[in-house]
């Protein structure tokens, strides 16, 4: 282990104290509402932290065979699994790793439900309502490939269907859930009496500072009063890892063209922070503000050959120097699960800052990691 400042390499650092803070809040909400909150691997899958997670939650959610295997082998419990399309050769192994299995379409259900074993079977539903503004992340946009609308359901569900799964949020507040819940009930309440559980998916950002926890508690508890037989499940990803750590990078050069100064870093947006280009998501940069005015304004550029591998204009209070740290805050969720090695760019190390003040390096990457991806 090493002290927090004893590194000169790019590194993701997750802080144990902040992670436990989020986990405790989620655990408390689950206890107060008799609901189940499970970790979605699509946003966070650092398995070396799973022993900490197991102190607060009991299950996870997977969307692929590899995630299902991660649940069984590293988290130590069967998962809730949903995939837009199961693949025949993988299906039986997914079943062996799953406690719940949700189908996206009738054709998928008809093809595989007889092979679901003892898994509790669910159907993904589409309430045709979502307040997600970024089309790339909106699962209810016209022409979506996700879920069944109410008019596609028979009056009586197949006997082995025990649950509904609905996902239509993205870093949303409790007020969004309140409005969405109205649409879900209006369209799908006639089938609730035939079910055992309902999964309201992810995107519930209850660990955000301005999130209305009291409203969330009321919504869940009053829903439970209306449908006491239904087990209520949530599967956020970002909420668990929200503001739990940073990506530490360094300036390797400063170039200028037509009055625009770009500080080139030893990390890449397209490789290591893809949501900054896709969503787009703008993290805080320690010691800087988003602004194109001031004496020390820089565009921050990645170190890949992609022309668009840069983000914004940032105003600093001093002239940047080669070797200087640039720290991107809140860089733990939807980062390590989405990174790539385009251009052979080295992957940042991954570390955990423990509550007792030392930094444990969980993983370092080298040439073999790049080579073996194409082996």
């Amino acid at each position: 282990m090493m002290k927090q400042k004893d590194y000169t390499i790019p590194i993701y650092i997750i802080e144990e104290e902040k992670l436990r803070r989020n986990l405790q809040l989620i655990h408390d909400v689950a206890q107060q509402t008799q609901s189940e909150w499970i970790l979605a691997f699509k946003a966070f899958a650092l398995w070396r932290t799973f022993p900490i997670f197991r102190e607060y939650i009991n299950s996870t959610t997977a969307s692929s065979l590899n995630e299902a295997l991660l649940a069984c082998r590293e988290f130590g419990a069967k998962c809730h699994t949903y995939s837009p399309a199961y693949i025949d050769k993988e299906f039986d192994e997914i079943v062996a790793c799953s406690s719940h299995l949700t189908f996206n379409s009738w054709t998928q259900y008809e093809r595989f439900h007889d092979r679901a074993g003892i898994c509790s079977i669910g159907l993904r539903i589409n309430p045709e309502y979502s307040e997600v503004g970024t089309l790339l992340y909106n699962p209810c946009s016209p022409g979506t490939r996700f879920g069944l609308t109410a008019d596609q359901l028979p009056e009586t569900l197949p006997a082995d269907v025990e649950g509904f799964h609905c996902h239509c949020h993205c870093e949303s507040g409790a007020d969004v859930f309140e409005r969405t819940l109205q649409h879900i009930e209006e369209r799908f309440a006639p089938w609730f009496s035939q079910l055992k559980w309902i999964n309201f998916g992810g995107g519930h950002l209850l660990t955000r500072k301005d999130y209305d926890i009291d409203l969330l508690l009321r919504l869940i508890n009053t829903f439970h009063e209306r449908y006491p037989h239904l087990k209520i499940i949530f599967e956020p990803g970002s909420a668990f890892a929200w503001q739990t750590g940073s990506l530490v990078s360094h300036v390797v050069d400063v170039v200028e063209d037509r009055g625009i100064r770009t500080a080139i870093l030893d990390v890449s947006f397209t490789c290591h922070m893809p949501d900054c280009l896709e969503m787009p998501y703008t993290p805080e940069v320690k010691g800087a503000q988003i602004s194109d005015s001031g004496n020390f304004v820089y565009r921050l550029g990645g170190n890949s050959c992609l022309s668009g591998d840069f983000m914004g204009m940032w105003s600093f209070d001093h002239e940047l120097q080669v070797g200087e740290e640039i720290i991107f805050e809140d860089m733990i969720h939807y980062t390590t699960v989405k990174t790539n090695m385009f251009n052979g760019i080295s992957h940042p190390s991954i570390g955990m800052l423990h509550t007792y003040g030392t930094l444990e390096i969980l993983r370092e990457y080298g040439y073999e990691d790049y080579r073996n991806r194409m082996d």
Side-chain angles (χ1 to χ4, degrees):
M1 293 189 182
M2 60 204 309
K3 294 296 182 182
Q4 184 180 359
K5 287 294 182 181
D6 290 343
Y7 47 81
T8 57
I9 55 175
I11 183 172
Y12 296 99
I13 300 177
I14 183 169
E15 299 182 39
E16 180 182 353
E17 183 176 354
K18 294 179 179 179
L19 177 62
R20 287 187 179 276
R21 175 200 63 199
N22 286 354
L23 285 164
Q24 187 63 58
L25 174 59
I26 292 171
H27 173 80
D28 291 345
V29 168
Q31 292 294 307
Q32 293 175 54
T33 58
Q34 301 179 56
S35 57
E36 183 176 20
W37 292 72
I38 61 181
L39 170 66
F41 287 152
K42 71 175 185 177
F44 182 89
L46 294 180
W47 58 269
R48 293 282 294 274
T49 66
F50 288 174
I52 296 175
F53 275 80
R54 287 306 305 263
E55 296 178 31
Y56 301 89
I57 66 171
N58 297 318
S59 192
T60 59
T61 177
S63 295
S64 64
L65 174 57
N66 283 337
E67 287 187 342
L69 290 170
L70 191 72
C72 281
R73 296 180 182 180
E74 308 300 339
F75 192 83
K78 291 186 175 183
C79 57
H80 297 232
T81 305
Y82 159 80
S83 174
Y86 295 107
I87 299 172
D88 187 88
K89 68 178 182 178
E90 297 179 347
F91 187 75
D92 293 337
E93 197 169 3
I94 287 175
V95 168
C97 295
S98 304
S99 61
H100 295 65
L101 199 68
T102 296
F103 292 104
N104 185 62
S105 66
W106 281 122
T107 51
Q108 284 272 294
Y109 168 82
E110 291 167 356
R111 182 179 180 187
F112 291 113
H113 78 104
D114 285 339
R115 293 165 55 187
I118 62 172
C119 292
S120 180
I121 291 177
L123 298 173
R124 178 158 179 169
I125 56 172
N126 174 12
E128 302 175 81
Y129 178 85
S130 175
E131 297 186 23
V132 177
T134 304
L135 191 61
L136 182 66
Y137 290 87
N138 188 336
C140 299
S141 58
T144 181
R145 69 188 196 281
F146 295 131
L148 300 163
T149 53
D151 61 345
Q152 294 175 303
L153 295 177
E155 185 175 337
T156 301
L157 295 172
D160 59 354
V161 172
E162 297 184 340
F164 279 166
H165 175 195
C166 180
H167 176 79
C168 46
H169 295 82
C170 180
E171 298 185 356
S172 303
D175 58 324
V176 178
F177 179 48
E178 181 176 32
R179 293 187 290 271
T180 306
L181 189 57
Q182 294 174 359
H183 288 264
I184 295 172
E185 287 195 68
E186 286 174 3
R187 287 166 170 76
F188 295 99
W191 290 277
F192 285 176
S193 62
Q194 303 176 45
L195 304 176
K196 294 182 179 179
W197 53 267
I198 185 165
N199 184 331
F200 289 117
H204 306 270
L205 196 50
L206 70 164
T207 50
R208 189 177 62 200
K209 288 182 180 180
D210 62 348
Y211 192 96
D212 191 340
I213 294 291
D214 290 337
L215 175 57
L216 176 66
L217 296 176
R218 289 197 302 273
L219 291 172
I220 300 174
N221 285 327
T222 55
F223 184 89
H224 187 69
E225 290 172 2
R226 293 193 296 277
Y227 312 102
H229 68 290
L230 284 180
K231 181 178 183 178
I232 302 169
I233 304 166
F234 294 85
E235 51 176 44
S238 295
F240 284 99
W242 184 256
Q243 295 185 337
T244 58
S246 57
L247 173 58
V248 180
S249 67
H250 307 83
V251 177
V252 293
D253 196 9
V254 177
V255 298
E256 184 169 348
D257 180 65
R258 303 188 185 216
I260 297 176
R261 286 187 295 180
T262 300
I264 302 179
L265 311 176
D266 57 1
V267 296
S268 162
F269 293 97
T270 190
C271 294
H272 310 137
M273 298 173 276
D275 273 358
C276 292
L277 303 182
E278 291 178 3
M279 197 167 181
Y281 167 72
T282 303
E284 293 184 11
V285 175
K286 189 173 182 179
Q289 295 184 346
I290 300 175
S291 176
D292 59 2
S293 63
N295 294 325
F296 308 102
V297 175
Y298 299 85
R299 187 169 65 181
L300 298 180
N303 60 341
S304 81
C305 291
L306 177 69
S307 297
D309 191 1
F310 63 84
M311 183 186 67
M313 301 296 290
W314 297 82
S315 178
F316 292 79
D317 61 4
H318 64 281
E319 186 173 354
L320 297 183
Q321 302 294 323
V322 171
E324 182 173 345
E325 281 187 351
I326 301 295
I327 299 177
F328 296 92
E329 303 285 7
D330 199 14
M331 270 291 145
I332 300 301
H333 63 285
Y334 281 108
T335 50
T336 53
V337 292
K338 297 181 74 172
T339 56
N340 61 77
M341 290 185 172
F342 166 68
N343 230 170
I345 301 298
S346 296
H347 193 292
S349 297
I350 301 174
M352 171 173 281
L353 180 63
H354 290 286
T355 54
Y356 45 83
T358 55
L359 179 69
E360 178 185 5
I361 301 299
L362 303 179
R363 183 74 158 86
E364 291 182 294
Y365 297 84
Y367 164 72
E368 295 298 329
D369 296 292
Y370 169 68
R371 176 188 178 276
N372 291 343
R373 289 169 61 91
M374 294 165 281
D375 192 351

